[in-house]
Amino acid sequence: MSGDGVSSSSGDAGAGTSTGTSTGTSAGTAGAEPVPARILVVDDDPTVAEVVTGYLRRAGYAVESVADGPAALARAAAFRPDLVVLDLMLPGLDGLEVCRRLRAAGPVPVIMLTARGDEDDRIAGLERGADDYVTKPFSPRELVLRVSSVLRRAAAAGAASAPGQGGAAAPRLTAAGITLDPTTHRAAQDGRELALTVREFDLLAHFLRHPGQAHGREELMREVWGWDFGDLSTVTVHVRRLRAKVEEDPGRPKLIQTVWGVGYRFEPGEAAAA
């Protein structure tokens, strides 16, 4: 099936994917069936909404769909989804504002759908808290795979941060006048606090942990953000924005250097974990 913003895909929906069981609490009785993960689809294009909803349901998820921003916020409060598939262009409230309000209310994962080709729109969605994005037209089967991937990452992050795990606090990282504390999620350079987005913070932490090493953009997507696929220009933009915050002259970077034909390397001079 194909429609505006959705490319055709052969085969049954969800083929090759795991069933959409919930990443939250499991059923309380022994032998009970796992609870399907709840997905809220927000798109004002009825064709896109119908195709996406159908594929996700056949993949084993419990899915509801709404067509505008205010309805998305109201339904999310009642439905309490495990993940939201959110179109960028919506009536009432646009997807960026809906995403901001959803993430302000709680850590629900968001995959943003966008028909725009401008990378600034995609980055704006990620900076508002979106966990991934898909550019229209897209394959519904690919979207199912991305939903599964984001839910797995969310479950792993929740397990790692759950009380009673017994893990020690992550050590502070220091290099080139930069101090980064993963526990408090704060970073400073020469005593000046750095206003970093979540993804900029994670990228800087990765560089500080691996000084002098060259990293390809695909590696950074996978190791820093856990993305198995996506637009590599997203990494380029995040590096550019991070340079603007930590480099004395972003146009001639000394800390985050470009390694031609490879990617990037962090050169602090002397790096250490405090």
Side-chain angles (χ1 to χ4, degrees):
M1 175 181 285
S2 64
D4 293 341
V6 183
S7 62
S8 61
S9 176
S10 62
D12 293 336
T17 66
S18 59
T19 57
T21 54
S22 175
T23 61
T25 58
S26 59
T29 59
E33 290 294 324
V35 178
R38 299 180 299 275
I39 311 294
L40 178 62
V41 175
V42 187
D43 199 306
D44 64 333
D45 185 323
T47 300
V48 173
E50 179 182 356
V51 172
V52 170
T53 297
Y55 267 73
L56 289 170
R57 282 177 176 161
R58 287 192 289 272
Y61 298 106
V63 188
E64 294 198 12
S65 176
V66 295
D68 61 64
L73 295 174
R75 194 66 201 123
F79 183 48
R80 300 181 64 84
D82 296 300
L83 182 143
V84 178
V85 177
L86 177 64
D87 190 32
L88 180 62
M89 301 297 293
L90 292 170
L93 291 172
D94 67 21
L96 292 177
E97 180 61 18
V98 172
C99 183
R100 185 190 70 79
R101 296 191 189 187
L102 287 172
R103 296 311 300 269
V108 58
V110 174
I111 296 178
M112 189 162 282
L113 304 179
T114 172
R116 298 181 180 182
D118 188 86
E119 70 179 14
D120 287 339
D121 290 318
R122 300 197 299 270
I123 296 301
L126 294 172
E127 292 185 341
R128 294 288 180 95
D131 296 83
D132 201 352
Y133 67 87
V134 178
T135 302
K136 298 179 181 179
F138 59 89
S139 161
R141 294 181 68 186
E142 178 185 345
L143 179 60
V144 171
L145 290 171
R146 289 190 182 226
V147 166
S148 177
S149 176
V150 170
L151 285 172
R152 285 197 306 270
R153 297 201 306 266
S161 62
Q165 296 301 311
R172 294 172 64 191
L173 304 168
T174 63
I178 298 171
T179 300
L180 183 146
D181 190 337
T183 303
T184 62
H185 217 269
R186 301 181 71 174
Q189 184 176 34
D190 298 326
R192 172 181 57 87
E193 185 151 0
L194 296 171
L196 303 177
T197 67
V198 171
R199 282 162 184 80
E200 289 166 356
F201 185 95
D202 292 342
L203 180 60
L204 181 58
H206 188 79
F207 281 139
L208 288 170
R209 291 188 180 106
H210 303 90
Q213 296 184 21
H215 306 278
R217 291 186 295 172
E218 289 184 353
E219 175 193 350
L220 291 172
M221 288 184 66
R222 182 179 63 254
E223 298 297 328
V224 179
W225 302 305
W227 298 342
D228 300 319
F229 33 68
D231 188 345
L232 293 179
S233 67
T234 301
V235 178
T236 306
V237 174
H238 280 303
V239 168
R240 185 177 72 232
R241 295 192 177 198
L242 182 57
R243 281 172 169 167
K245 297 177 181 181
V246 303
E247 297 281 0
E248 183 177 343
D249 181 359
R252 302 177 64 183
K254 295 181 179 180
L255 296 176
I256 305 173
Q257 299 181 3
T258 298
V259 182
W260 297 109
V262 179
Y264 305 98
R265 180 178 58 232
F266 185 67
E267 287 288 0
E270 293 184 2

